[in-house]
Amino acid sequence: MTRVAAIDCGTNSIRLLIADVSRRGPLVEVTRRMEVVRLGQGVDRTGMLDPAALERTLTAVRRYAEICAEHRVEATRFVATSATRDAGNRHTFVDGVRTLLGVEPEVVSGQEEAALSFAGAASVIGAEQPRPLLVVDIGGGSTELVVGDDVPRAGISLDMGSVRLTERHLRADPPTGKQVKAARQDVRDALAEAAAEVPLGEVRTVVGVAGSVTTVTAHALGLPEYDRARIDGAELPTPAVLASCEALLQATRAERAAMGFMHPGRVDVIGAGALIWAEVVGAVQRATGHLPTVRTSEHDILDGIALSLR
């Protein structure tokens, strides 16, 4: 077994997974951490990483470096995604990570991000689950859709995410009908582009990953607090998922903040994440003509990164 560290730095959060991996078989999780640092703050508008966001993120990287040392990690892979891809000053971030962690951070393409997300989610989906799978990873700056059986067959990364959509459209509390309509149109335009690349009509199982989806699932399950064990692998009726998406989108900031399962760093962007998830589920429903349930997984790009190190 090799002890590895996988770090995923997205638009909204930075996450760490330390695990023991072997050449074959599932990974053995040692610890998982997540901090909301909002690295992508303002990137959609300015094309640059904000200095305060950089400072928050590098502070988290420093803490992760200490945790890796404590756990005697042998190999580390650091993957940066949408916000860093889009930023003109990303070299400042890359230099900072290299200094703190001693590894070269990889600013991966949307296609690589999609493939890693699929690998992580598919690694825990049993053979009894109907294929093809559609793995949907809703991040802060982008959303990945990948179709495959046990390996990806087709995928796309779309420039729509919970932070990006919130900053563009959903600025009122709660968002106005006009704002929701504009945001929904953006998502539908992106999904029309995706439909040309990804065969949604062939999908038999939809698996959603990452914080927006897991938060919607917590709402649909009626959880008083976030419970990873109950959320991971949950299979919910499609109407229940869509109803929770709509409820989160229409809630006020205060109402969302009062929900026991809601991470504080997700309060202001979950409406956009829920809107994206509803639109993706609706698109698959229309394409297949039959989507009675959707699944949620806590295994995602982090697991894919860790598995790539074996």
Side-chain angles (χ1 to χ4, degrees), residues 113-241:
E113 182 179 1
L116 288 168
S117 294
F118 186 91
S123 70
V124 295
I125 300 295
E128 75 285 352
Q129 201 65 34
R131 263 69 169 175
L133 308 172
L134 171 67
V135 174
V136 183
D137 184 344
I138 301 173
S142 66
T143 294
E144 284 68 48
L145 288 82
V146 196
V147 169
D149 297 326
D150 294 314
V151 295
R153 181 148 49 91
I156 191 169
S157 180
L158 302 168
D159 282 338
M160 63 181 192
S162 60
V163 175
R164 194 186 297 269
L165 210 64
T166 300
E167 291 184 349
R168 280 187 185 176
H169 299 295
L170 306 181
R171 294 184 288 272
D173 179 26
T176 66
K178 184 177 181 180
Q179 289 173 349
V180 170
K181 183 178 180 181
R184 208 179 292 281
Q185 190 59 54
D186 265 11
V187 175
R188 290 182 177 178
D189 289 346
L191 289 174
E193 173 191 347
E197 302 287 333
V198 179
L200 297 181
E202 298 177 17
V203 170
R204 293 297 172 264
T205 299
V206 175
V207 184
V209 303
S212 289
V213 174
T214 59
T215 302
V216 170
T217 302
H219 184 280
L221 289 170
L223 299 182
E225 59 186 21
Y226 197 90
D227 186 340
R228 187 171 184 263
R230 289 193 61 188
I231 291 167
D232 186 33
E235 185 171 9
L236 293 169
T238 300
V241 172

Side-chain angles (χ1 to χ4, degrees), residues 8 30 34 39 49 53 69-70 91-92 97 113 132 141 167 188-190 212 224 227-228 232 246 257 280 297 302:
D8 165 40
V30 176
M34 189 270 281
L39 177 62
L49 295 171
E70 289 169 11
H91 63 278
T92 304
V97 172
E113 182 179 1
E167 291 184 349
R188 290 182 177 178
D189 289 346
S212 289
D227 186 340
R228 187 171 184 263
D232 186 33
E246 187 64 20
V280 172
S297 178
L302 266 183

Side-chain angles (χ1 to χ4, degrees), residues 11 31 44 53 90 93 109-110 119 135 140-141 154 161 185 188 270 276 292 299:
T11 300
T31 187
D44 187 60
R90 68 184 187 182
F93 176 63
S109 68
V135 174
Q185 190 59 54
R188 290 182 177 178
I270 186 58
I276 294 169
H299 300 271

Side-chain angles (χ1 to χ4, degrees), residues 2-62:
T2 302
R3 179 152 293 182
V4 304
I7 300 175
D8 165 40
C9 187
T11 300
N12 197 42
S13 64
I14 182 167
R15 300 180 303 141
L16 166 70
L17 167 64
I18 296 177
D20 294 327
V21 298
S22 57
R23 289 191 177 182
R24 294 180 182 176
L27 58 81
V28 179
E29 182 176 320
V30 176
T31 187
R32 253 177 225 263
R33 305 291 178 93
M34 189 270 281
E35 294 191 35
V36 172
V37 292
R38 195 64 55 83
L39 177 62
Q41 174 187 325
V43 169
D44 187 60
R45 177 176 53 84
T46 67
M48 303 290 280
L49 295 171
D50 180 84
L54 271 171
E55 183 177 349
R56 289 193 301 268
T57 306
L58 292 176
T59 297
V61 172
R62 184 178 292 106

